[in-house]
Amino acid sequence: MVPRRPCPNSGGSVTPSGVFVIGAGGHGKVVVSTLQERGVEVLGVFDDDAAKWGGRLLGVPVLGGLDLAPEYADRGRFILAIGNNDHRARLAERFARFDWATAVHPAAYVHPSARLRAGVVVFAGAVVQPETVVGAHSIVNTGTTVDHDCEVGSYVHLAPGVHLAGGVAVGSRAMLGVGASVIPGVRIGEGAIVGAGSVVLRDVSPGETVVGMPAKPLQKE
């Protein structure tokens, strides 16, 4: 069992009880390592890739496919380690009765007034400033900053190095690519996609894809 460490700036996020992880891919590795760094015992991993069954992810056993997960529902909490927003949403609905944990890396900072909903992950180097709300099962990836009074919906993925200025609103299932930046007060619509490295200076409509500096709608061929 991994030694437990003090948990500053946790935002009241994760309990010291054991956690099962759903997803044994690359994102799963980061979730497992975040929990381990937090001092949380990772009890096992579930993944539908049969080639991974019986193996280990950072020393944690891959117990089997997702159909097996409900049999463990009374043995610990769960967390989704799936990068795709829609897939993550479907699994949260499928396993709605699970007790969902959140995870904040000890090298991240979450202001005490910020609120992280169930299933949120905040990776190393990330910052979540005062009065911000991050919706259920959203990802605040490595080195991302979310400034004051932001509203991040459910199943959002803020990729590594994203920067949201104060008062930004991000709709559910939106995806912001690596290194994207958003100026104060902008609204990113539900299901919108912001390309890697883009700088967003205006509102983005639901379902719209924008790229560039400044970000503009992606032209379809």
Side-chain angles (χ1 to χ4, degrees):
M1 178 175 175
V2 178
R4 290 177 178 158
R5 302 178 180 179
C7 300
N9 305 321
S10 67
S13 57
V14 72
T15 68
S17 60
V19 172
F20 293 99
V21 172
I22 296 178
H27 186 62
K29 289 181 183 177
V30 185
V31 171
V32 168
S33 68
T34 295
L35 291 165
Q36 291 174 331
E37 287 295 317
R38 197 84 215 182
V40 176
E41 184 178 15
V42 183
L43 301 171
V45 180
F46 298 97
D47 195 289
D48 278 340
D49 183 353
K52 297 178 179 177
W53 299 352
R56 288 185 173 272
L57 188 71
L58 299 181
V60 178
V62 180
L63 300 172
L66 273 57
D67 287 343
L68 195 62
E71 297 181 18
Y72 292 78
D74 60 348
R75 305 184 195 182
R77 307 181 75 186
F78 285 77
I79 196 162
L80 290 169
I82 306 292
N84 180 277
N85 292 341
D86 290 338
H87 191 188
R88 206 162 60 255
R90 287 193 295 270
L91 290 176
E93 181 177 356
R94 174 180 173 184
F95 300 121
R97 294 187 177 182
F98 281 9
D99 184 10
W100 296 109
T102 63
V104 179
H105 194 282
Y109 172 78
V110 178
H111 189 271
S113 66
R115 286 173 287 170
L116 307 180
R117 305 302 189 194
V120 168
V121 294
V122 181
F123 293 154
V127 175
V128 181
Q129 293 288 20
E131 304 292 337
T132 278
V133 178
V134 182
H137 302 286
S138 286
I139 300 167
V140 182
N141 220 312
T142 308
T144 285
T145 63
V146 183
D147 220 287
H148 63 89
D149 300 303
C150 288
E151 297 180 7
V152 178
S154 300
Y155 313 111
V156 168
H157 189 162
L158 304 177
V162 166
H163 299 296
L164 304 184
V168 170
V170 181
S172 297
R173 306 195 192 198
M175 169 70 192
L176 278 69
V178 174
S181 299
V182 185
I183 67 170
V186 164
R187 303 183 70 82
I188 307 293
E190 182 174 340
I193 298 174
V194 177
S198 297
V199 177
V200 182
L201 305 179
R202 62 160 184 85
D203 291 354
V204 178
S205 300
E208 187 175 31
T209 297
V210 298
V211 296
M213 186 186 315
K216 298 179 179 179
L218 183 65
Q219 299 298 319
K220 297 181 179 178
E221 296 182 356

